[in-house]
Amino acid sequence: MDNVSVITVFTLSGLRDIANYRVTLFVLTLLCYCVIWLVNLTIIVTVIVDKKLHEPMYIFLCNLFCINALYGSTGFYPKFLSDLLSSFHHISYEGCMLQAFIMYSFSSCDLSILAVMAFDRYLAICRPLHYHSFMTMRRLSQLVCFSWLTPFCIFSINIPITSRVKLCGINIQRVLCPDWLIVKLACPEVKSNFLML
């Protein structure tokens, strides 16, 4: 345990074998990232501007596909694009934790928004006469807040727990930092404690 150093940087080794295709991958990835931003911002502005689209289903779709897609893609693409241009693929410890938080909360937000959308459709189909009295703007905003805050609260607990783990390695064999790969780099005595939990 005495020879464990404090790790401040991780090496991402998922892009080792693409040296010949870096420029092509960079251009395609940048194009994809720009299209994601353009399409999602267009949909968000359309839903905001058009008063006919101020219905619960459109607001949920805007949250699910547009705002959450922008959030998740911003957590991944900028670092990935910079890694495609550089020969060294490093990420700081804090950056790795932030990326893990964004990726997990992004995917959990997708699931929670889908669950809220399913509830909305259940009300619209099974209780059509009560739908508008139940699905008010106040209730809609509560459901949207629930679908965003629940994943953030869950992973606000998960990431600090992971950050306390003593690590014995720095090589992550991916292009991003998932939480479980950080735990895999833990020292053997720490891994045994995680297995017991």
Side-chain angles (χ1 to χ4, degrees):
M1 195 82 134
D2 295 332
N3 61 0
V4 176
S5 60
V6 176
I7 293 177
T8 59
V9 175
F10 290 109
T11 302
L12 301 173
S13 60
L15 294 174
R16 264 188 299 197
D17 302 327
I18 61 148
N20 298 336
Y21 309 106
R22 279 190 184 170
V23 175
T24 306
L25 283 173
F26 177 80
V27 170
L28 291 174
T29 305
L30 182 62
L31 180 67
C32 184
Y33 187 48
C34 290
V35 167
I36 288 170
W37 269 91
L38 179 68
V39 169
N40 286 309
L41 284 177
T42 303
I43 293 171
I44 291 169
V45 169
T46 303
V47 169
I48 290 171
V49 170
D50 192 352
K51 299 289 185 197
K52 290 182 231 169
L53 298 178
H54 289 189
E55 294 291 323
M57 192 58 171
Y58 296 111
I59 293 171
F60 288 138
L61 287 172
C62 187
N63 270 285
L64 174 66
F65 295 116
C66 302
I67 298 170
N68 198 34
L70 292 177
Y71 170 67
S73 63
T74 302
F76 172 72
Y77 279 105
K79 174 67 177 137
F80 183 66
L81 287 167
S82 71
D83 283 348
L84 284 174
L85 290 181
S86 70
S87 55
F88 300 105
H89 308 124
H90 298 294
I91 188 169
S92 68
Y93 186 82
E94 294 81 13
C96 192
M97 289 295 161
L98 178 65
Q99 192 178 53
F101 176 79
I102 290 172
M103 290 293 104
Y104 285 128
S105 59
F106 157 71
S107 58
S108 295
C109 281
D110 263 355
L111 296 176
S112 63
I113 293 170
L114 281 172
V116 168
M117 287 173 69
F119 175 68
D120 175 64
R121 291 298 85 199
Y122 163 77
L123 286 176
I125 293 168
C126 297
R127 297 178 170 239
L129 299 176
H130 300 275
Y131 178 75
H132 290 292
S133 64
F134 184 79
M135 193 57 75
T136 61
M137 284 310 263
R138 183 170 185 264
R139 182 71 47 89
L140 177 67
S141 59
Q142 288 173 344
L143 289 171
V144 168
C145 287
F146 166 79
S147 63
W148 278 94
L149 291 177
T150 303
F152 282 110
C153 291
I154 290 170
F155 290 107
S156 292
I157 296 167
N158 190 32
I159 296 299
I161 290 172
T162 303
S163 68
R164 293 179 183 211
V165 172
K166 290 201 187 299
L167 303 174
C168 288
I170 62 166
N171 190 22
I172 296 177
Q173 309 241 337
R174 297 280 190 277
V175 295
L176 60 104
C177 288
D179 192 32
W180 62 274
L181 278 178
I182 299 168
V183 172
K184 270 181 89 171
L185 295 174
C187 298
E189 62 274 4
V190 176
K191 283 184 189 176
S192 62
N193 290 340
F194 266 96
L195 291 174
M196 292 180 146
L197 294 174

